[in-house]
Amino acid sequence: MNDFVKKIKQVKNIDDAIKILALQIELTSKIEEAIDFAIKAHEGQFRKSGEPYAVHPILVAAITAAISNDETMVIAALLHDVVEDTPYSLEDIKKRFGNEVALLVDGLTKIIEIRDEELIRSGSNEKLIKSAMTFRKMLLISIKDLRVLVIKLCDRVHNMLTLDS
């Protein structure tokens, strides 16, 4: 696992990210279509590190694939930021990749919406309780399909691996 993490931390371009993904799961035509779609959707976007933004969802998909070879999860991981960060809608995802992928992406989007609107940072007991209840809501949303939670955790892992940027 350490070698896998080291490889992920070294990736700075889309081609290398795709190579790591390909080591984790067979790049089926559906996965390749999702890769191409994610790259197109995030075209012109860059992370704080300066790398193309599409590197992030591809590596999140690689981490997801290391945990599960569920093609639908990997595709949802590739598309997890598309609805939030690009002009594409959930309906676009549904039309192109199907209802199951759209449901996972929607679940990931709902977690972000809840977090942004409701999590409170403070030492007070009232605010701590509200934050705990919000976290509970996030978990309940993901329980509809636990794959949402797995993808979100993979997203967090990649973000933590790139904290130096």
Side-chain angles (χ1 to χ4, degrees):
M1 190 62 150
N2 279 342
D3 288 341
F4 180 61
V5 170
K6 284 179 188 175
K7 286 179 184 176
I8 286 175
K9 288 181 83 167
Q10 294 172 352
V11 172
K12 302 296 179 207
N13 65 64
I14 291 170
D15 290 337
D16 289 344
I18 293 170
K19 287 176 188 172
I20 288 182
L21 176 59
L23 292 173
Q24 301 306 311
I25 192 169
E26 178 187 347
L27 299 185
T28 63
S29 60
K30 288 180 181 180
I31 292 173
E32 287 180 345
E33 181 181 356
I35 291 168
D36 292 342
F37 187 81
I39 292 168
K40 179 183 174 199
H42 293 293
E43 193 171 22
Q45 296 176 347
F46 297 90
R47 296 198 71 179
K48 287 183 180 180
S49 62
E51 68 196 34
Y53 190 86
V55 168
H56 169 68
I58 295 168
L59 291 177
V60 171
I63 296 166
T64 302
I67 294 169
S68 171
N69 279 344
D70 181 331
E71 181 182 54
T72 301
M73 281 177 67
V74 171
I75 292 169
L78 285 162
L79 305 174
H80 79 274
D81 283 334
V82 168
V83 174
E84 289 294 314
D85 297 338
T86 76
Y88 292 99
S89 69
L90 193 58
E91 191 59 33
D92 295 327
I93 300 292
K94 187 176 182 178
K95 285 179 186 171
R96 192 152 183 184
F97 298 99
N99 194 48
E100 192 175 5
V101 170
L103 286 172
L104 294 178
V105 172
D106 187 40
L108 291 159
T109 302
K110 285 180 179 169
I111 288 175
I112 291 167
E113 288 171 0
I114 289 170
R115 184 198 67 214
D116 288 346
E117 292 174 11
E118 298 181 31
L119 280 186
I120 300 164
R121 290 175 177 80
S122 175
S124 79
N125 285 340
E126 181 183 342
K127 290 186 178 188
L128 184 62
I129 290 168
K130 282 186 176 180
S131 288
M133 294 305 290
T134 299
F135 183 71
R136 181 178 172 274
K137 280 189 211 174
M138 285 174 23
L139 289 177
L140 289 174
I141 286 171
S142 65
I143 286 173
K144 291 178 184 172
D145 193 325
L146 286 175
R147 296 177 297 177
V148 170
L149 188 57
V150 173
I151 296 166
K152 190 62 185 171
L153 291 172
C154 293
D155 178 37
R156 290 291 181 218
V157 166
H158 185 251
N159 285 336
M160 290 176 10
L161 291 173
T162 59
L163 280 176
D164 55 333
S165 295

